[in-house]
């Protein structure tokens, strides 16, 4: 477990984008994916917006995925296992990098064929609590032709990251402009933020 935590932190320190190929085990990723499928079949996912509760907007020309917020109140065994993993990572991150993270929030994100999310930052203009962004992917057997990559924009060093199951990406929420390129098939992830009070 700590090996995957260290891989995420070390690669972040090296180029501002942390990547761990196996942050989530296949078992946990598969269980979370099945839970997402079940939620979608029950029509519990909602159109994703931009902004926060104080200033939210819905525009499918900017963002076209659907989301469902994870919450301990759901008492879902797989979501709770994911939360435990995130809490262990936060503890490791705070101890090794003195980041002072005090909370988090995560949601499932489902992109159907043709869906995308245009360039954006993750930190709100009216609220700076989000410090780090984390995206964990739930897509097995992903192929290059499937599209849906995360494109992170950096000066002379753009990164295109494939959304392969188990992989987690980590970066500062206010620092890197990024987008989700159009996907050619169903694309699933858990996306969220590590926060400070």
């Amino acid at each position: 477990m700590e090996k995957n935590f260290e891989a995420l932190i070390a690669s972040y320190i090296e180029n501002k984008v942390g990547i761990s190929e196996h942050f989530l085990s296949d078992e946990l990723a598969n269980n979370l994916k099945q839970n997402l499928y079940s939620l979608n079949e029950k029509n519990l996912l909602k159109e994703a917006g931009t902004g926060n509760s104080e200033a939210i907007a819905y525009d499918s020309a900017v963002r076209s995925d659907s989301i469902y917020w994870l919450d301990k109140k759901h008492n879902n065994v797989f979501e709770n296992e994911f939360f435990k993993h995130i809490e262990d990572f936060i503890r490791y991150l705070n101890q090794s990098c003195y980041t002072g993270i005090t909370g988090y929030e995560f949601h499932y994100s489902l992109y159907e064929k043709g869906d995308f999310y245009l360039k954006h930052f993750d930190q709100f203009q009216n609220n700076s609590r989000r410090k780090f962004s984390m995206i964990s992917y739930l897509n097995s057997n992903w192929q290059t032709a499937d599209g849906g990559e995360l494109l992170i924009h950096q000066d002379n060093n753009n990164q295109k990251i494939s959304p392969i199951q188990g992989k987690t990406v980590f970066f500062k929420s206010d620092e890197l402009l990024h987008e989700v390129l159009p996907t050619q098939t169903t694309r699933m992830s858990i996306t969220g933020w590590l926060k400070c009070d």
Side-chain angles (χ1 to χ4, degrees), residues 47-101:
E47 177 185 3
T50 56
N52 58 13
S53 57
E54 297 172 27
I56 192 165
Y58 297 93
D59 186 348
S60 61
V62 173
R63 179 181 188 181
S64 53
D65 60 317
S66 300
I67 66 170
Y68 180 90
W69 288 96
L70 280 67
D71 194 318
K72 285 187 175 180
K73 293 177 182 177
H74 299 158
N75 201 29
N76 179 277
V77 62
F78 306 124
E79 291 181 21
N80 286 344
E81 185 179 348
F82 175 80
F83 287 142
K84 171 67 165 55
H85 196 53
I86 292 298
E87 288 163 3
D88 288 342
F89 174 67
I90 290 172
R91 194 174 302 112
Y92 188 88
L93 181 67
N94 282 342
Q95 289 173 353
S96 60
C97 299
Y98 309 103
T99 49
I101 298 301

Side-chain angles (χ1 to χ4, degrees), residues 1 4-5 20-34 78 81-82 85-86 136-140 164-168 190:
M1 184 169 61
N4 292 322
F5 293 172
S20 173
E21 299 291 342
H22 306 289
F23 186 84
L24 297 184
S25 68
D26 274 341
E27 181 179 9
L28 178 56
N30 283 328
N31 287 331
L32 290 166
K33 179 166 51 182
Q34 290 305 314
F78 306 124
E81 185 179 348
F82 175 80
H85 196 53
I86 292 298
S136 295
Y137 295 112
L138 307 175
N139 310 291
S140 55
I164 296 170
Q165 178 162 301
K167 181 187 294 182
T168 290
I190 294 180

Side-chain angles (χ1 to χ4, degrees), residues 122-138:
D122 279 349
Q123 192 178 87
F124 302 126
Q125 291 183 351
N126 62 354
N127 186 324
S128 61
R129 289 190 62 212
R130 289 180 175 178
K131 300 304 179 184
F132 294 96
S133 301
M134 291 187 73
I135 307 147
S136 295
Y137 295 112
L138 307 175

Side-chain angles (χ1 to χ4, degrees), residues 100-188:
I101 298 301
T102 56
Y104 56 82
E105 59 184 1
F106 284 89
H107 62 67
Y108 288 113
S109 188
L110 177 68
Y111 289 74
E112 301 288 7
K113 183 176 180 179
D115 285 346
F116 58 90
Y117 192 170
L118 298 183
K119 292 179 188 177
H120 62 282
F121 291 104
D122 279 349
Q123 192 178 87
F124 302 126
Q125 291 183 351
N126 62 354
N127 186 324
S128 61
R129 289 190 62 212
R130 289 180 175 178
K131 300 304 179 184
F132 294 96
S133 301
M134 291 187 73
I135 307 147
S136 295
Y137 295 112
L138 307 175
N139 310 291
S140 55
N141 303 313
W142 196 264
Q143 305 296 318
T144 302
D146 293 333
E149 295 95 342
L150 175 68
L151 179 58
I152 296 181
H153 297 267
Q154 297 191 72
D155 293 339
N156 303 315
N157 186 33
N158 290 351
Q159 283 187 262
K160 190 182 285 188
I161 301 168
S162 56
I164 296 170
Q165 178 162 301
K167 181 187 294 182
T168 290
V169 183
F170 173 78
F171 54 91
K172 284 196 76 173
S173 299
D174 66 345
E175 194 169 72
L176 296 180
L177 195 63
H178 57 285
E179 62 183 301
V180 176
L181 300 177
T183 185
Q184 301 306 311
T185 188
T186 301
R187 175 193 190 274
M188 294 168 286

